[in-house]
Amino acid sequence: MEPVARWEPDSRGRLGRAALELFAERGFDDTTVEEIAAHAGVSERTFFRHFADKREVLFAGSGNLQTLLVDAVIAAPRTASPMEAVAAALESTGPFFEERRDFARQRQAVITANAELRERELIKMATLASTLADALRQRGVKEPAASLTAEAGIAVFRVAFERWITDSQRRGLSRVIRESLAALRAVTAEA
Amino acid sequence: MEPVARWEPDSRGRLGRAALELFAERGFDDTTVEEIAAHAGVSERTFFRHFADKREVLFAGSGNLQTLLVDAVIAAPRTASPMEAVAAALESTGPFFEERRDFARQRQAVITANAELRERELIKMATLASTLADALRQRGVKEPAASLTAEAGIAVFRVAFERWITDSQRRGLSRVIRESLAALRAVTAEA
């Protein structure tokens, strides 16, 4: 039987919440891993079992998001147009983020407040776009359609995500994504 | 009359070309300001009269590009739709880049080869998109149309620029931008 001290239910989740609380309170730069671990009631060693560094707490979900998007593009029906495949992929992230709405909102505030994190977030989004373009090319979509669809899709996602997080009516993310895509179609048609 | 040694015709242009040659040859990280100045036949002091550091040689044009785009969005006819205003702005950069085609191509290769420079370029593009969105809001365009138009416009620009630079038929940038925008319209309509 494990000693009680080693029994740490959901220490990863607790570390995430503790980190966001401290980042919001003191700023990202002025928060140490030691403080995050103490706030979560775990050891630093436990922190490093879950995350490489404090920035990783904010970006550890990127890999899951990327897998979710690529799998959905690949799984879209053969008859789906490139933008339909991307739209389905973006909308499929709804449940993933709805479960983490508070985390996502706090995370966004921390990132907006810090130039280095904003840059990291831009790189993450650019990587997502280029991975989506790869997935579309695997479906046989040619250039420049693949890159344009992927880039436009990520632009829709970013705008929709920002709206979803600040939406006082708490509409679902999938719905806000659909509305943003319709708005993109409207502005693009007028040129 | 100035002494001959001080007569440095187009030292800024020579420094730019010298820097790109060395970046291409040795890599960005392994090139020093001292080497760039020597290669251009000017003093380091002259280098620093024109550029804050070696990275600046690659990004000094960003401000001009931003001014060009924003002025064109503001100058677009009142009756122009948001995307028409952005399209006109993007196409207006044609002559600016046609004059610098070789520089632009070499610059792109240097940036593609270096992770730090790629990040800096992403930040530049994100800044351009948010400046374009500001200019659209000044024209009375609401959200999310302003952000979506600006983001989609910059996506079109990036894809078109990449195609223009590698285009064996040497079609003009303005034309490639128009074609890319038409391609975006086509993929967006199919969803």
Side-chain angles (χ1 to χ4, degrees), chain A:
Chain A
M1 200 177 141
E2 293 281 292
V4 173
R6 289 250 198 115
W7 186 74
E8 292 154 353
D10 188 27
S11 47
R12 189 183 174 89
R14 291 220 316 276
L15 279 164
R17 289 185 293 275
L20 276 186
E21 270 182 46
L22 294 177
F23 293 161
E25 223 176 274
R26 309 176 185 186
F28 177 78
D29 289 332
D30 293 329
T31 302
T32 65
V33 165
E34 192 185 347
E35 290 166 338
I36 296 168
H39 196 51
V42 303
S43 66
E44 275 190 75
R45 206 191 146 107
T46 298
F47 178 95
F48 288 116
R49 265 212 305 276
H50 292 287
F51 304 105
D53 54 35
K54 63 178 175 173
R55 200 177 69 170
E56 197 57 23
V57 178
L58 300 168
F59 291 96
S62 308
N64 289 341
L65 178 57
Q66 186 164 316
T67 307
L68 209 63
L69 288 172
V70 168
D71 288 354
V73 165
I74 291 169
R78 272 192 188 203
T79 52
S81 72
M83 191 57 96
E84 279 168 347
V86 167
L90 296 175
E91 287 177 35
S92 77
T93 65
F96 176 84
F97 285 111
E98 299 292 352
E99 265 181 25
R100 296 164 179 75
R101 190 190 166 104
D102 288 339
F103 184 90
R105 191 174 52 238
Q106 291 172 317
R107 175 185 180 278
Q108 195 84 343
V110 170
I111 285 176
T112 303
N114 185 292
E116 188 214 321
L117 297 175
R118 286 198 303 274
E119 294 179 11
R120 185 70 193 73
E121 183 76 352
L122 279 177
I123 295 161
K124 180 184 114 181
M125 288 298 173
T127 307
L128 281 179
S130 96
T131 314
L132 275 184
D134 280 343
L136 288 169
R137 283 189 295 265
Q138 277 182 40
R139 287 177 63 91
V141 181
K142 302 273 179 259
E143 285 299 337
S147 291
L148 285 168
T149 308
E151 297 275 351
I154 291 300
V156 162
F157 181 74
R158 286 173 56 191
V159 169
F161 196 82
E162 187 73 38
R163 291 176 79 75
W164 170 67
I165 261 179
T166 55
D167 184 19
S168 54
Q169 296 166 60
R170 291 205 158 233
R171 288 170 307 170
L173 176 59
S174 300
R175 184 175 150 190
V176 182
I177 289 172
R178 270 196 302 280
E179 289 173 2
S180 299
L181 182 58
L184 175 69
R185 195 181 309 124
V187 296
T188 308
E190 289 171 2

Side-chain angles (χ1 to χ4, degrees), chain A residues 144 148, chain B residues 65 90 93-94 96-98 100-109 111-112 121 124-125 128 153-167 171-178 180:
Chain A
L148 285 168
Chain B
L65 178 57
L90 296 176
T93 65
F96 175 86
F97 286 110
E98 298 292 352
R100 294 165 180 76
R101 190 190 166 102
D102 288 340
F103 184 91
R105 192 176 49 239
Q106 291 172 317
R107 175 185 180 279
Q108 196 83 345
I111 285 176
T112 303
E121 184 77 352
K124 181 184 115 181
M125 289 297 173
L128 282 179
I154 291 299
V156 162
F157 180 75
R158 287 173 54 192
V159 170
F161 196 83
E162 188 73 37
R163 290 175 81 75
W164 169 67
I165 261 180
T166 55
D167 184 19
R171 289 168 307 168
L173 176 58
S174 300
R175 184 176 150 190
V176 183
I177 288 172
R178 270 195 302 280
S180 299

